[in-house]
Amino acid sequence: MELSKKATKISPSLTLAITAKAKQMKADGIDVIGFGAGEPDFNTPENIQKAAIKAIQEGLTRYTAASGIIELKDAIITKFKNDNNLSYGRNQIIVSTGAKQCLANVFKAILNPGDEVLVPVPYWVSYPELIKLSDGNPVFVNCKEENNFKYTVEDLEKALTVKTKAIIINSPNNPTGTIYNKQELIEIANFAQKHDLIIISDEIYEKLIYGNNTHISIASLNEDSYKRTIVINGVSKAYAMTGWRIGYAAGDEKIIKLMSNIQSHTTSNPNSIAQYASVEALNGDKTKVEEMILEFKKRREFMVKRVEEIGTLTCIKPDGAFYVMINIKSLIGKSFNGKNIVGSVDFSSLLLEEEKVAVIPGIAFGLDEYIRLSYATSLKNIEEGLSRIENFIKKLS
Ligand SMILES: Cc1ncc(COP(=O)(O)O)c(C=O)c1O
């Protein structure tokens, strides 16, 4: 029997696969250091946990409106006003089962077969597959390391065709941690306006910023960018709530309505208890979150310093998120025990086998001469893991 052609073209998530493999090795008693994690290694703060328990006890455990409860929409509206200087009405907000579902909904709402979406390389693993699932075509735009892995308008112009419908911007970025500044955002917004494109701005790492940078939402630049941008955000990364599965999107009322209709027939409302917990996340005390950010900052400093010490590796110091994209170009072509390292998958597999260190091969993000290390793990693990990587590199010939 022939199964769906579309579904069979979708690749499994390489990042989830590697994380699962490392977890299994750990469960088997092997001393693995995992740098694969795409989630904070902290517990959800207690005030948020308590809000969930209260919701259960009060019987707030039934279906809610498909696009989310009013209390959470209002908390999201306040968050946008306070943090991003953006004004939205309730009908411009949708709450979904993670930012990932918001993205899936938005592509379904805006794409017709053959429509193209500009995707930055390196990209977050799910963008291309989500676009394909909505019958669209991802068009990859290489963002060079020399340009801190950011789009240039020149590259965007080259990638444009009559079928281009939308552009994705992800700042702070996964996997590179780079942040677009105001001038760079203005250039992208002008490009989108010139070619009448929808901007999909994935701001899920907004709260995880270190140093002097600030997060600016492209939607907040001017009236035009406000109208053409769908902002994607959520509580997963900022509040250590990855398992609760709450994300949200804001933007044009017509697009949000279509997203809500789609969601109402696929998953109905996101989990009711998690929605009440998210109200507390957004409105409540943020002390724990601030402590988490300080800890990430320390780890970032340490990881970047150690990578530089190793010598053969280079990286750009990330401004946000919790990843370091490491350039392994100088190691491609070397070999270990007679096995050639042709790309990032060989490097990562041999490293896992030999030194029991799990990293994500850059090919998962469209760049084969890199690996991504997450610093959402303890300083002790980072120290030990990088020493093992250093050892591994010494063994290469
Ligand atoms: C860039 C980016 N966008 C979206 C998501 C999805 O987040 P959520 O857990 O809210 O679905 C992730 C998660 O890894 C991400 O890295």
Side-chain angles (χ1 to χ4, degrees), residues 38 97-101 103 124 127 170 172 174 202 204-205 232-237 242 245-247 323:
T97 302
K100 197 180 260 186
Q101 193 190 14
L103 286 159
W124 175 52
Y127 296 140
N170 173 215
N174 176 7
D202 183 345
I204 190 86
Y205 292 99
I232 308 285
N233 209 324
V235 297
S236 291
K237 317 283 177 174
T242 47
R245 312 303 305 125
I246 296 291
Y323 310 105

Side-chain angles (χ1 to χ4, degrees), residues 20-288:
K21 184 167 179 198
K23 269 191 186 155
Q24 185 54 50
M25 286 171 78
K26 257 189 206 153
D28 294 342
I30 301 168
D31 168 30
V32 178
I33 303 279
F35 285 125
E39 59 182 345
D41 54 320
F42 298 90
N43 276 349
T44 303
E46 220 173 296
N47 58 319
I48 302 173
Q49 297 174 22
K50 283 189 177 145
I53 293 166
K54 187 163 168 269
I56 295 174
Q57 288 169 340
E58 288 178 357
L60 299 168
T61 50
R62 302 174 184 221
Y63 291 136
T64 72
S67 63
I69 57 173
I70 298 282
E71 294 90 324
L72 183 51
K73 284 192 182 179
D74 286 350
I76 292 166
I77 288 168
T78 307
K79 177 240 131 29
F80 275 122
K81 186 86 222 126
N82 292 345
D83 295 353
N84 313 105
N85 197 23
L86 284 167
S87 296
Y88 293 111
R90 285 178 185 161
N91 52 3
Q92 290 180 281
I93 306 282
I94 179 172
V95 183
S96 304
T97 302
K100 197 180 260 186
Q101 193 190 14
C102 292
L103 286 159
N105 285 334
V106 80
F107 293 129
K108 282 185 205 142
I110 66 169
L111 297 179
N112 286 308
D115 281 350
E116 295 176 355
V117 181
L118 300 175
V119 178
V121 180
Y123 47 76
W124 175 52
V125 278
S126 295
Y127 296 140
E129 308 309 306
L130 288 172
I131 294 164
K132 285 192 259 168
L133 275 170
S134 290
D135 297 320
N137 291 327
V139 171
F140 298 110
V141 182
N142 274 317
C143 299
K144 297 177 199 76
E145 189 169 359
E146 307 85 88
N147 197 34
N148 273 349
F149 295 111
K150 294 185 215 181
Y151 284 131
T152 64
V153 171
E154 205 188 341
D155 292 336
L156 287 172
E157 291 281 0
K158 279 190 210 142
L160 198 83
T161 75
V162 285
K163 292 189 174 156
T164 313
K165 184 75 164 273
I167 174 170
I168 296 180
I169 170 156
N170 173 215
S171 175
N173 181 272
N174 176 7
T176 63
T178 54
I179 296 176
Y180 282 79
N181 64 32
K182 189 164 183 185
Q183 186 50 37
E184 291 160 344
L185 292 174
I186 290 173
E187 283 167 23
I188 293 171
N190 289 345
F191 166 81
Q193 180 173 15
K194 182 172 158 201
H195 301 290
D196 195 19
L197 306 179
I198 296 169
I199 301 171
I200 296 167
S201 181
D202 183 345
E203 304 179 11
I204 190 86
Y205 292 99
E206 170 189 18
K207 295 287 172 201
L208 305 180
I209 292 190
Y210 322 103
N212 299 326
N213 292 286
T214 47
H215 171 76
I216 300 169
S217 174
I218 194 165
S220 69
L221 292 177
N222 55 51
E223 192 55 29
D224 182 82
S225 65
Y226 172 77
K227 284 190 187 144
R228 65 178 64 254
T229 301
I230 298 289
V231 180
I232 308 285
N233 209 324
V235 297
S236 291
K237 317 283 177 174
Y239 302 98
M241 290 179 73
T242 47
W244 301 71
R245 312 303 305 125
I246 296 291
Y248 52 86
D252 176 77
E253 192 182 329
K254 277 203 271 356
I255 297 178
I256 296 291
K257 175 97 182 96
L258 294 184
M259 291 168 70
S260 304
N261 291 348
I262 292 161
Q263 180 164 298
S264 73
H265 290 292
T266 45
T267 55
S268 300
N269 61 274
N271 178 295
S272 66
I273 303 151
Q275 288 191 69
Y276 285 98
S278 300
V279 173
E280 173 62 22
L282 293 178
N283 289 346
D285 181 65
K286 310 254 187 313
T287 317
K288 285 285 164 212

Side-chain angles (χ1 to χ4, degrees), residues 316-336:
I316 284 177
K317 190 171 186 177
D319 289 321
F322 39 65
Y323 310 105
V324 179
M325 193 69 165
I326 298 180
N327 185 323
I328 57 162
K329 275 184 192 160
S330 67
L331 305 175
I332 304 289
K334 296 208 171 209
S335 62
F336 173 77

